[in-house]
Amino acid sequence: MGLLPVPAEVRAILLDIEGTTTPIAFVQETLFPYIRDNVKDYLRAHWEEEECQRDVRLLRKQAEEDSSLDGAVQIPLESGSGEEELEQLIQALVDNVHWQMALDRKTTALKQLQGHMWRAAYATGHIKGELFEDVVPAIRKWREAGMKIYIYSSGSVEAQKLLFGYSTEGDILELFDGHFDTKIGPKVESESYRRIATSIGCATNNILFLTDVPREASAAEEAEAHVAVVTRPGNAGLTDDEKSYYSLISSFSELFLPSST
């Protein structure tokens, strides 16, 4: 695809994770299956801990809000009547988590539990965050050129920090100047990018956003941020119109920073 010049006014590079810094396969074939396969054992092992109980309360509250949805799994209150009741309650939680994940829900309740489970898995070495090999060298080069580097992902900030803190390249959190998740707003809404610009103290046209999702690129562009769509192995294909409209890169090494930066 050749080199893509970065506009001279760009001062910050905003990065998506899945399909951009990290293979989609890692998320789909490692992170999510870990939750599905281990949620019951995790709840049993951590049930008495306050953090786990907060997760349970949040999941129950979400289940109440979802009660009208087809297939929604309700989570009963605990009356303390014994081991059998506890097993039924944990099974309801497991079923609820599996139902939400099957629908690709992005509720705070689900994301919070996933984040806590992944934290334990990363800390014990069961999981290491995967990165494309061009990512770290490119980010180091951008930083040396004076760029600020930020992450914006639908995964929680905690989950982001775990991925980069326990990565195949070691702890690389020092390479990032900040992290954003959907608490700042949905990635497909232009206002989210305006909020990010305000948060980091620049104009939207001082930002270059790299993502594999054209809808996200469109929202950022509507906010007058610069965008490039990343085409990685395993990413969803682009339409001919998308290919001709967006600037495309297949590697971070294809970004060319002007010498004035």
Side-chain angles (χ1 to χ4, degrees):
M1 293 182 188
L3 294 178
L4 176 66
V6 175
E9 68 264 32
V10 168
R11 295 290 177 267
I13 297 178
L14 184 64
L15 302 173
D16 171 48
I17 293 180
E18 186 179 354
T20 299
T21 67
T22 298
I24 285 178
F26 171 69
V27 178
Q28 300 297 334
E29 298 172 14
T30 298
L31 286 185
F32 288 154
Y34 180 85
I35 300 296
R36 284 191 290 268
D37 295 345
N38 292 280
V39 61
K40 180 178 283 189
D41 288 343
Y42 176 87
L43 290 169
R44 283 173 174 162
H46 297 274
W47 187 258
E48 300 298 330
E49 298 170 14
E50 177 54 31
E51 181 179 81
C52 183
Q53 285 302 305
R54 287 197 299 270
D55 292 345
V56 170
R57 288 193 292 270
L58 205 57
L59 285 164
R60 183 180 287 116
K61 182 173 182 289
Q62 184 64 51
E64 291 169 359
E65 294 174 8
D66 292 341
S67 60
S68 63
L69 299 180
D70 186 38
V73 179
Q74 293 305 295
I75 300 170
L77 289 168
E78 187 178 8
S79 66
S81 61
E83 192 68 27
E84 184 176 344
E85 181 202 56
L86 178 59
E87 280 301 305
Q88 291 174 348
L89 173 54
I90 288 175
Q91 187 60 52
L93 286 158
V94 171
D95 292 344
N96 180 278
V97 167
H98 286 179
W99 173 75
Q100 288 201 60
M101 292 182 69
L103 295 178
D104 196 25
R105 301 288 301 282
K106 300 187 187 301
T107 64
T108 299
L110 178 61
K111 292 294 181 184
Q112 181 171 294
L113 174 66
Q114 288 174 330
H116 293 154
M117 288 185 63
W118 286 326
R119 181 182 63 199
Y122 281 114
T124 55
H126 284 94
I127 294 176
K128 283 187 181 294
E130 292 183 24
L131 304 171
F132 290 108
E133 63 181 13
D134 56 276
V135 169
V136 171
I139 292 176
R140 292 191 190 282
K141 185 176 179 181
W142 299 341
R143 290 182 63 87
E144 289 170 4
M147 287 288 176
K148 299 288 189 181
I149 312 297
Y150 298 90
I151 297 292
Y152 182 26
S153 173
S154 58
S156 69
V157 167
E158 180 178 24
Q160 297 172 28
K161 290 182 175 180
L162 289 168
L163 191 155
F164 295 116
Y166 295 92
S167 83
T168 49
E169 301 292 325
D171 182 351
I172 60 166
L173 284 172
E174 66 178 12
L175 297 181
F176 304 106
D177 294 283
H179 298 257
F180 298 96
D181 57 22
T182 50
K183 287 180 181 176
I184 200 95
K187 296 177 73 182
V188 294
E189 292 184 4
S190 59
E191 187 59 31
S192 303
Y193 300 90
R194 297 186 185 99
R195 292 191 192 111
I196 288 173
T198 299
S199 176
I200 66 181
C202 69
T204 50
N205 72 346
N206 296 139
I207 295 173
L208 170 63
F209 179 47
L210 304 183
T211 178
D212 64 311
V213 181
R215 283 185 67 207
E216 296 174 3
S218 177
E221 188 178 62
E222 186 179 330
E224 300 185 347
H226 297 280
V227 301
V229 172
V230 185
T231 60
R232 299 284 200 179
N235 287 5
L238 304 175
T239 66
D240 288 341
D241 286 346
E242 289 166 346
K243 289 177 184 176
S244 62
Y245 180 78
Y246 290 109
S247 296
L248 307 179
I249 60 171
S250 60
S251 166
F252 285 4
S253 63
E254 293 170 10
L255 283 185
F256 174 72
L257 273 59
S259 57
S260 59
T261 302

